[in-house]
């Protein structure tokens, strides 16, 4: 018995018994019965539990109840085990195809009623749309079969076992099986029946399968119809009422392509769908089809003859409470949000999504790379020795996975590329998958990133190449080496479209350099954009022992092995809140380009196929962020790819304030995904008259003093600030540290484009080695005049001879308090710095600092290599909302190019700070937080941050860039902050 159990879970065969061949997921009028709902459930620690539970008369009254679909580890608050997160690691010994005896196994049972008239059905089919990872099926005590392939649809013929009236279905689900070795996707391991279960009555003379292959060329459409049905099912009728088509085929031999006149094409921008039915006397199948032709020509990827640039995201199915259980309302809003942020493409990483998601993609409009349920990343630890991808024993499983992927979803016009899977090495089984797809579907190319040499795929694809490497790949005539390619293989790859299937790892605060990648896509025709990793964080909502809610990541459930917060790497937080990186992405990939030239603006329509008739263009002029005039800009309708020069309105320029013109392209009418007035693209023009910063009177009568004095609103003790405008203040102190971002903490081996980086050592580790998080100060001198104070401090860390000299000069200039801070590092610093700033601490007292108003870049945080979403204006925020609740606390909240800042308490203005550019024209930024960088760095989750009685204001002369080093390139040298002398100059007044 034990050997039989071991053989079952270790069997690489994808299915047994009455498992049917794959077919489309169709909308049919044939009778069906959902078996979703409450099932009886029992969890056993191993696969050895007796199988008598499948007997009809088994008493399950003592069992628990669990909803289907669901994951058992997300039910019962840990009663049924906990989720496990790994990125690459296998959470079990690498002993393929075997798995441990400690194999959590869930047994499910439920009764269901079969209508009496179902006895007329030719067959009764039981479909499971998703079960992780291996399951066995019984109906009324009869063993029906088994299947693996967690994110794939499986149908079983249960005709001989069901009967009218009461029936019992029993399912045994094993968490681990041989299939787990090829389902090592970067996500939570979440066992259970997590997608729909449906009983279907298949009528005699029904339609087994339909495939509508469509094409489009110059206004003409074509439909090639493949109908799978018995001869007795004919005649078959295809109806497309909107185009007046009713085609009847008397026999299977009569089925032939249809040429259709005057059709509108489908694209991601204009997702034109036509309602089609295919029917027999016994069954009618409804489809929505779109006319489009996908091809590769001249090294470019084209749809309907036009080059596609993918502004895409990698999308996992994940929800903080449901896991991978599909919710259509939430999914629709998720896709609508993508559209609002200018996302036009989805890679279904790394498995087929719930089939309804693809209906939504067809309807709302996305280019979809549909990926097979395949990843074997854990074999990377063994340098791919023993990988299933090149083992004949796994051939059937690999082919079954791609067949079920393609057959289920082949009717969707949104799918323009098939992907064999992800991070499974390379080998003959992948080549066999590709050969099958090429034979089955000649209308879509095949993608797989791991085929670096291009032996069996149509697209050259890479993950996380640097900007420089991407440029070398895309440049025509380049002979630079390509990863894992001989010169001949590299030459072949350079004849193909190039796709960044993963880039710009959006983990925590970041990524940077999105605009650099986008610029390359427009400069090089073979470069077709890519897919950011990834769309959303995978946090699981849980609570601390005292009931505080938080979003858990790897390690929070006591996993034996895990990959920490690497699962929190999305542009959308777990609670659906867009991060600043998503706003940055929207701005970088906006489908209109604005170029100001004198009194005109050149506007280019960068869309694939849509003109600009759906947009209107608004302008406004602001003086120091205050609106003075606004109106509509008359812009001719621009076809895709067209441009026009448009005269700008008269801009009233102020001599006493900055003058900014802002152009917004907005939706002229509401759509399925956004309201009227939604902003699609934005540009700003600075028309300010340059004004010199106010001068500071020179002082020559300096004398040493004890540093206890008052200068206007400032009070000093021993040379240190203690009060401002009547409230306690300490500082300013030099701050060189920031709470490391996930990118800062990454120890990448790739430092080709970094500045002062060390392979295998993170920047954060270098900062800690240098003691930037534990600086100490020695006062060197204190001097004063009648209306000024000057201090010189030497700042350094324990066990370090490196230092920074800081000169602070306070002076009264009329009624205003002026502060100039000169920061000068010693020689010998070898690493980049996270920031160069000064920190002021503002204890709460009777009026806590809880808000800010500022004139500068906003409204969201911005950094040197992530500025495109920021605009110059006047903004207001609470202190809490200035910061982002990243799953692991880290640097957040920096606002760049500050002009003026007012600190508030309950709406009352407390302090006003005016910031001046330095002699190079560089403006400072600010961060206002309830915690110091050091406190933030010590917290692993937001709830671990200590209670605070102080607000902390940091004025930064400079910040280090963000980069993408968590899984990609380091900060581009232009945005790397080397130790250097800087000046900060401020004017401070009571609010």
């Amino acid at each position: 018995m034990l050997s039989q159990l071991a053989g079952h879970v270790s069997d690489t065969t994808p299915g047994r018994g009455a498992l049917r061949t794959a077919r489309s997921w169709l909308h049919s009028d044939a009778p069906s019965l959902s078996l979703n709902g409450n099932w009886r459930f029992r969890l056993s620690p191993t696969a050895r539990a007796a199988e008598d539970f499948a007997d009809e008369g088994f008493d399950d009254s003592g069992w628990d109840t669990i909803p289907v679909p669901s994951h058992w580890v997300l039910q019962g608050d840990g009663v049924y085990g906990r989720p496990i997160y790994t990125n690459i690691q296998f959470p079990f010994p690498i002993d393929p195809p075997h798995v441990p005896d400690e194999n959590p196994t869930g047994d499910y049972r439920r009764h269901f009623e079969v209508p009496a008239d179902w006895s007329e059905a030719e067959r009764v089919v039981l479909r499971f749309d998703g079960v992780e990872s291996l399951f066995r099926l019984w109906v009324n005590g009869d063993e029906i079969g088994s299947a693996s392939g967690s994110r794939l649809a499986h149908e079983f013929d249960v005709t001989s076992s069901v009967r009218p009236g009461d029936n019992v279905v029993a399912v045994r689900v094993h968490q681990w099986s041989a299939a787990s070795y090829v389902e090592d996707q970067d996500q939570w391991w979440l066992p259970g029946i997590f997608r729909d279960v449906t009983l279907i009555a298949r009528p005699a003379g029904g339609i087994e399968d339909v495939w509508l292959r469509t094409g489009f060329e110059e206004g003409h459409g074509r439909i090639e119809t493949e109908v799978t049905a018995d001869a007795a099912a004919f005649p078959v009728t295809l109806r497309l009422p909107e185009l007046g088509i009713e085609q009847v085929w008397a026999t299977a031999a009569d089925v032939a392509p249809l040429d259709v006149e005057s059709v509108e094409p489908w694209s991601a921008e204009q997702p034109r769908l036509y309602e089609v039915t295919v029917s027999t006397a016994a069954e009618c199948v409804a489809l929505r089809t779109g006319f489009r032709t996908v091809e590769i020509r001249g090294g470019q990827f084209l749809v309907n003859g036009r080059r596609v640039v993918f502004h895409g995201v990698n999308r996992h199915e994940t929800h903080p409470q449901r896991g991978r259980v599909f919710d259509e309302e939430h999914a629709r809003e998720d896709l609508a949000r993508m559209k609002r942020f200018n996302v036009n493409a989805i890679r279904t990483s790394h498995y087929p999504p719930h089939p309804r998601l693809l209906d939504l993609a067809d309807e709302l409009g996305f280019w979809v790379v549909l990926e097979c349920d395949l990843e074997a990343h854990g074999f990377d630890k063994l340098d791919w020795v023993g990988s299933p991808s090149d083992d004949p024993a796994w051939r059937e499983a690999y082919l079954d996975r791609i067949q079920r992927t393609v057959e289920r979803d082949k009717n969707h016009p949104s799918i323009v590329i098939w992907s064999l899977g992800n991070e499974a090495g390379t080998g003959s089984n992948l080549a066999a998958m590709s050969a099958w797809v090429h034979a089955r579907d000649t209308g879509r190319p095949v993608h797989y990133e791991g085929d670096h040499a291009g032996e069996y795929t149509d697209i050259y694809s890479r993950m996380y190449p640097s900007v420089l490497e991407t440029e070398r790949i895309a440049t025509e005539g380049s002979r630079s080496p390509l990863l894992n390619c001989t010169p001949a293989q590299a030459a072949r790859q350079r004849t193909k479209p190039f796709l960044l299937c993963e880039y710009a790892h959006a983990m925590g605060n970041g990524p940077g350099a999105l605009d650099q990648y986008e610029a390359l896509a427009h400069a090089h025709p073979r470069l077709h954009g890519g897919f950011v990793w990834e769309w959303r964080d995978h946090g699981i909502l849980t609570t601390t022992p005292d009931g505080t809610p938080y979003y858990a990541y790897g390690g929070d459930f006591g996993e034996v092995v895990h990959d920490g917060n690497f699962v929190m790497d999305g542009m959308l937080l777990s609670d659906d809140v867009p991060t600043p990186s998503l706003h940055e992405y929207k701005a970088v990939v906006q489908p209109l380009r604005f170029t100001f030239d004198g009194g005109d603006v050149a506007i280019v329509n960068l869309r694939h196929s849509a003109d600009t008739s759906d947009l209107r263009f608004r302008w406004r002029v602001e003086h120091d962020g205050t609106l003075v005039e606004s109106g509509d800009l008359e812009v001719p309708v621009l076809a895709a790819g067209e441009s026009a020069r448009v005269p700008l309105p008269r801009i009233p320029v102020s001599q006493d304030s900055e003058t900014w013109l802002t152009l917004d392209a907005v939706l002229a009418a509401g759509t399925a995904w956004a309201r009227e007035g939604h902003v699609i693209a934005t540009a700003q023009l600075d028309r300010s008259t340059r004004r010199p910063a106010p001068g500071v009177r020179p002082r020559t009568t300096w004398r040493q003093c004890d540093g206890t004095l008052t200068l206007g609103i400032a009070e000093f003790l021993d040379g240190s600030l203690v009060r401002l405008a009547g409230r306690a203040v300490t500082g300013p102190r030099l701050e060189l540290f920031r709470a490391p971002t996930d990118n800062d903490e990454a120890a990448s081996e790739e430092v080709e484009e970094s500045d002062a980086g060390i392979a295998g050592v993170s920047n954060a580790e270098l900062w800690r080695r240098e003691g930037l998080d534990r600086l100490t100060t020695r006062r060197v001198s204190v001097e004063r005049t009648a209306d000024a104070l000057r201090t010189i401090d030497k700042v350094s860390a324990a066990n370090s001879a490196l230092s920074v000299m800081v000169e602070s000069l306070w002076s009264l200039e009329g009624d205003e308090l002026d502060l100039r801070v000169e920061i000068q590092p010693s020689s010998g610093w070898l690493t980049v710095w996270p920031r160069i700033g000064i920190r002021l601490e503002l204890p709460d007292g009777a009026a806590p600092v809880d808000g800010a108003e500022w004139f500068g870049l906003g409204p969201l945080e911005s950094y040197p290599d992530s500025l495109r979403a920021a605009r110059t204006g006047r903004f207001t925020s609470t202190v809490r909302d200035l910061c982002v609740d990243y799953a692991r606390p880290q640097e957040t909240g920096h606002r760049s190019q500050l002009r003026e800042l007012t600190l508030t308490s309950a709406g009352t203005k407390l302090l006003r700070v005016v910031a001046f550019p330095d002699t190079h024209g560089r403006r400072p930024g600010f961060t206002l937080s309830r915690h110091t960088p050091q406190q933030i760095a010590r917290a692993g989750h937001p709830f671990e941050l200590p209670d605070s009685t102080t607000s902390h204001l940091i004025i930064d002369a400079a910040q280090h860039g963000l980069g993408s080093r968590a899984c990609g390139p380091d900060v581009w040298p232009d945005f790397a902050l080397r130790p250097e002398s800087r000046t900060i100059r401020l004017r401070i007044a009571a609010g």
Side-chain angles (χ1 to χ4, degrees):
M1 179 64 177
L2 292 182
S3 62
Q4 291 177 347
L5 288 172
H8 191 76
V9 296
S10 301
D11 189 352
T12 62
T13 303
R16 295 187 180 277
L19 181 63
R20 305 180 76 232
T21 57
R23 65 186 184 118
S24 299
W25 197 87
L26 296 171
H27 298 274
S28 166
D29 65 356
S32 66
L33 176 68
S34 172
L35 298 190
N36 293 350
N38 289 325
W39 291 51
R40 292 291 189 175
F41 180 74
R42 174 186 69 184
L43 183 68
S44 302
T46 73
R48 300 174 182 175
E51 295 177 2
D52 56 352
F53 82 101
D55 295 343
E56 285 188 76
F58 182 84
D59 182 6
D60 58 18
S61 60
W63 285 19
D64 296 334
T65 299
I66 196 172
V68 169
S70 72
H71 304 278
W72 69 63
V73 293
L74 297 183
Q75 302 294 315
D77 195 24
V79 171
Y80 309 120
R82 290 292 192 179
I84 299 169
Y85 167 62
T86 63
N87 169 31
I88 299 174
Q89 304 179 85
F90 287 121
F92 44 78
I94 307 175
D95 182 25
H98 307 291
V99 293
D101 293 339
E102 293 82 3
N103 187 356
T105 296
D107 291 331
Y108 295 77
R109 282 175 55 91
R110 71 157 289 168
H111 289 257
F112 62 93
E113 291 285 326
V114 172
D117 59 0
W118 279 32
S119 58
E120 301 174 5
E122 183 178 59
R123 289 184 308 281
V124 178
V125 172
L126 185 55
R127 183 178 71 217
F128 293 81
D129 284 315
V131 183
E132 183 175 328
S133 70
L134 167 70
F135 69 103
R136 299 168 66 189
L137 170 67
W138 293 262
V139 173
N140 293 328
D142 298 336
E143 183 163 9
I144 304 299
S146 64
S148 61
S150 298
R151 270 68 69 176
L152 303 170
H154 297 92
E155 292 184 333
F156 295 87
D157 189 333
V158 297
T159 309
S160 61
S161 298
V162 295
R163 58 187 177 235
D166 183 62
N167 293 259
V168 178
V169 58
V171 183
R172 169 160 288 183
V173 180
H174 303 290
Q175 176 162 12
W176 310 123
S177 68
S180 303
Y181 285 100
V182 292
E183 293 179 359
D184 187 28
Q185 291 99 336
D186 177 8
Q187 60 180 346
W188 295 97
W189 299 87
L190 299 173
I193 305 174
F194 67 93
R195 285 186 185 159
D196 307 295
V197 182
T198 310
L199 194 69
I200 304 166
R202 298 294 307 129
I207 299 170
E208 181 64 15
D209 203 358
V210 174
W211 186 6
L212 301 182
R213 304 191 225 196
T214 64
F216 177 84
E217 185 175 1
E218 297 181 354
H220 301 281
R222 184 175 176 85
I223 304 175
E224 296 181 16
T225 306
E226 179 185 289
V227 179
T228 304
D230 291 338
F234 284 82
V236 171
T237 303
L238 181 147
R239 293 183 177 88
L240 204 165
E242 194 172 354
L243 297 178
I245 294 173
E246 181 168 329
Q247 176 67 47
V248 180
W249 293 300
T251 69
D254 295 331
V255 178
L258 298 175
D259 291 318
V260 187
E261 297 295 324
S262 301
V263 300
E264 298 175 50
W266 185 97
S267 73
E269 293 165 357
Q270 296 173 306
R272 181 65 162 93
L273 294 172
Y274 291 88
E275 302 286 342
V276 181
T277 61
V278 179
S279 59
T280 68
E283 182 179 15
C284 181
V285 171
L287 305 95
R288 294 188 301 179
T289 196
F291 291 92
R292 56 105 183 97
T293 295
V294 178
E295 61 182 326
I296 293 174
R297 189 193 326 146
Q300 295 184 38
F301 179 87
L302 311 176
V303 175
N304 298 334
R306 294 187 60 86
R307 174 175 173 262
V308 173
V309 177
F310 293 96
H311 296 136
V313 294
N314 284 275
R315 180 192 180 273
H316 269 292
E317 293 204 316
T318 182
H319 184 274
Q321 294 170 284
R322 296 187 298 270
R324 283 188 285 281
V325 175
F326 183 75
D327 177 86
E328 185 165 330
E329 181 179 354
H330 185 262
R332 179 181 287 275
E333 173 54 28
D334 221 26
L335 297 193
R337 186 182 293 109
M338 289 183 188
K339 297 285 286 189
R340 292 195 293 272
F341 281 91
N342 290 334
V343 173
N344 71 5
I346 298 169
R347 178 177 176 230
T348 68
S349 54
H350 299 290
Y351 43 83
H354 190 283
R356 276 292 292 154
L357 185 98
L358 298 168
D359 289 340
L360 298 178
D362 294 340
E363 173 189 325
L364 294 173
F366 290 92
W367 311 116
V368 174
V369 177
L370 198 287
E371 198 145 84
C372 184
D373 187 9
L374 177 67
E375 181 166 337
H377 206 170
F379 286 94
D380 181 66
K381 181 182 179 68
L382 309 180
D383 198 25
W384 299 101
V385 173
S387 166
S389 296
D390 204 35
D391 183 346
W394 293 82
R395 177 71 57 85
E396 183 184 358
Y398 272 54
L399 287 173
D400 180 76
R401 285 172 181 266
I402 194 63
Q403 290 164 10
R404 291 187 180 278
T405 296
V406 171
E407 296 294 356
R408 192 196 76 170
D409 297 329
K410 56 185 178 285
N411 280 296
H412 291 283
S414 58
I415 298 173
V416 293
I417 297 173
W418 297 115
S419 180
L420 304 180
N422 186 69
E423 292 174 325
T426 189
S428 59
N429 292 337
L430 287 156
M433 294 169 73
S434 180
W436 183 88
V437 176
H438 281 119
R440 181 68 175 125
D441 183 5
T442 59
R444 298 178 177 104
V446 173
H447 164 276
Y448 175 66
E449 185 271 343
D451 181 27
H452 293 156
E455 294 176 342
Y456 47 85
T457 50
D458 306 306
I459 293 169
Y460 183 34
S461 177
R462 286 283 307 283
M463 294 181 181
Y464 309 108
S466 67
V467 171
L468 185 59
E469 185 184 3
T470 302
E471 185 175 30
R472 289 197 297 254
I473 291 169
T475 300
E476 294 299 324
S478 173
R479 293 183 176 274
S480 60
L482 299 185
L483 180 68
N484 297 332
C485 284
T486 67
Q489 291 167 339
R492 175 173 61 193
Q493 291 293 65
R494 283 195 165 96
T495 66
K496 300 177 181 179
F498 179 70
L499 194 62
L500 294 160
C501 70
E502 293 180 22
Y503 82 112
H505 194 261
M507 185 175 179
N509 190 347
L514 286 168
D515 53 349
Q516 293 175 274
Y517 286 102
E518 179 68 9
L520 290 177
H522 291 287
H524 300 280
R526 283 193 305 103
L527 181 54
H528 289 269
F531 298 81
V532 170
W533 188 268
E534 64 175 310
W535 171 238
R536 63 161 59 241
D537 283 358
H538 296 220
I540 292 179
L541 184 61
T542 187
T543 59
T544 63
D546 68 1
T548 302
Y550 72 100
Y551 292 97
Y553 51 74
D556 287 338
F557 296 110
E559 300 101 307
V560 176
V561 296
H562 64 85
D563 287 305
N565 70 317
F566 206 71
V567 76
M568 305 298 230
D569 48 12
M571 294 193 292
L572 199 68
L573 299 179
S574 300
D575 58 359
D576 294 345
V577 173
T579 66
S581 70
L582 185 52
H583 290 269
E584 178 77 0
Y585 187 77
K586 175 186 177 181
V588 166
V589 306
Q590 64 184 30
L592 299 170
R593 181 187 298 142
F594 301 91
T595 305
F596 295 102
D597 183 12
D600 295 340
V601 59
I603 304 175
V604 182
N605 179 6
L606 299 174
R607 290 167 158 180
H608 171 268
S609 48
D611 63 27
T612 59
S613 60
D614 62 326
L615 304 177
R616 62 186 180 94
F617 294 80
R618 302 186 309 203
W619 63 268
R620 65 182 181 274
V621 175
E622 294 168 322
H623 290 166
D624 276 357
T626 300
L627 179 66
V628 292
E629 286 191 27
S630 63
D632 288 339
L633 190 69
E634 293 299 323
V635 178
V637 173
L638 302 176
E642 284 189 346
S643 63
R645 289 179 67 90
V646 178
L648 291 171
R650 183 191 65 82
I651 301 174
V653 176
S654 170
Q655 301 300 314
D656 301 318
S657 58
E658 293 188 36
T659 300
W660 286 86
L661 170 72
T662 303
L663 293 181
D664 291 326
V666 305
L667 289 178
T671 69
W673 45 270
R675 296 178 179 176
E676 177 186 349
H678 169 75
V679 177
I680 297 294
T682 296
Q684 278 195 314
L685 172 65
D686 184 1
R687 279 293 180 88
S688 305
T689 300
R690 299 304 170 198
R691 294 168 294 154
V696 176
R697 290 180 293 112
R699 271 81 173 178
T700 58
T701 57
W702 294 103
R703 67 181 186 275
Q704 292 185 353
C705 68
D706 63 3
T708 300
L709 72 159
T710 298
L711 293 175
I713 64 169
E715 300 175 35
F716 300 88
L717 180 65
D718 297 329
S720 297
L721 180 68
V722 292
R723 298 184 73 80
L724 267 176
R727 63 175 298 122
V729 178
T730 60
R733 57 163 291 174
L734 179 70
E735 187 60 84
L736 301 180
F737 185 66
R738 72 183 185 192
T741 66
D742 290 308
N743 291 312
D744 295 336
E745 290 282 12
S748 173
E749 296 297 330
E750 302 295 330
V751 294
E752 174 189 19
E753 296 173 8
S754 67
D755 197 323
I758 299 176
V761 181
S762 71
N763 283 331
E765 175 58 26
L766 295 175
W767 298 340
R768 287 186 283 259
R769 287 184 191 179
E770 299 285 11
L772 299 187
D773 58 337
R774 49 183 176 83
L775 297 175
T776 61
T777 300
R778 178 174 65 84
R779 178 68 42 85
V780 175
S781 66
V782 182
E783 298 177 305
R784 67 166 295 178
T785 68
D787 57 1
L789 173 70
R790 180 170 65 191
T791 62
I792 297 178
D793 297 323
K794 185 174 184 179
V795 181
S796 53
N799 197 37
S800 175
L802 302 173
S803 63
V804 181
M805 300 303 296
V806 180
E807 179 186 20
S808 301
L809 176 60
W810 299 85
S811 64
L812 277 178
E813 307 298 332
D815 295 330
E816 296 182 303
L817 182 66
D818 194 279
L819 170 63
R820 189 180 78 241
V821 181
E822 301 285 355
I823 300 165
Q824 182 176 345
S826 67
S827 61
W829 292 93
L830 299 179
T831 183
V832 295
W833 277 354
R835 70 177 352 132
I836 302 174
I838 55 173
R839 188 173 94 210
L840 290 160
E841 299 187 357
L842 304 140
D844 287 347
V849 174
D850 59 11
E853 301 173 3
W854 75 98
F855 176 41
L857 288 189
L860 302 174
E861 65 184 26
S862 55
Y863 291 83
D865 53 354
S866 183
L867 287 169
R868 294 285 290 274
R871 60 180 173 86
T872 301
R874 193 169 291 275
F875 308 100
T876 301
S877 175
T878 65
V879 171
R880 176 177 177 80
D881 289 342
L882 284 169
C883 300
V884 179
D885 281 333
Y886 295 113
R888 184 188 69 80
Q890 55 196 275
E891 163 67 26
T892 177
H894 180 76
R895 266 70 178 176
S896 306
Q897 299 183 25
L898 178 67
R899 279 83 161 166
E900 179 186 315
L901 170 67
T902 300
L903 305 181
T904 62
S905 178
T908 300
K909 297 179 179 180
L910 301 176
L911 287 171
R912 178 173 176 265
V913 179
V914 175
F916 300 112
D918 65 13
T919 56
H920 297 282
R922 299 172 298 193
R923 294 185 180 274
F926 82 95
T927 303
L928 182 62
S929 171
R930 294 294 289 175
H931 297 94
T932 68
Q934 291 77 9
Q935 289 172 327
I936 296 170
R938 287 192 290 268
H941 302 82
F943 70 82
E944 296 174 36
L945 290 166
D947 293 335
S948 174
T949 58
T950 303
S951 293
H952 305 271
L953 172 64
I954 302 177
I955 303 292
D956 284 318
Q959 273 257 3
H960 185 57
L962 298 175
S964 190
R965 199 176 178 183
C967 189
D970 203 352
V971 174
W972 187 255
D974 291 354
F975 308 113
L977 180 58
R978 293 304 306 264
E980 61 185 26
S981 297
R982 284 285 190 144
T983 301
I984 297 173
R985 187 175 167 215
L986 311 171
R987 283 278 172 99
I988 305 172

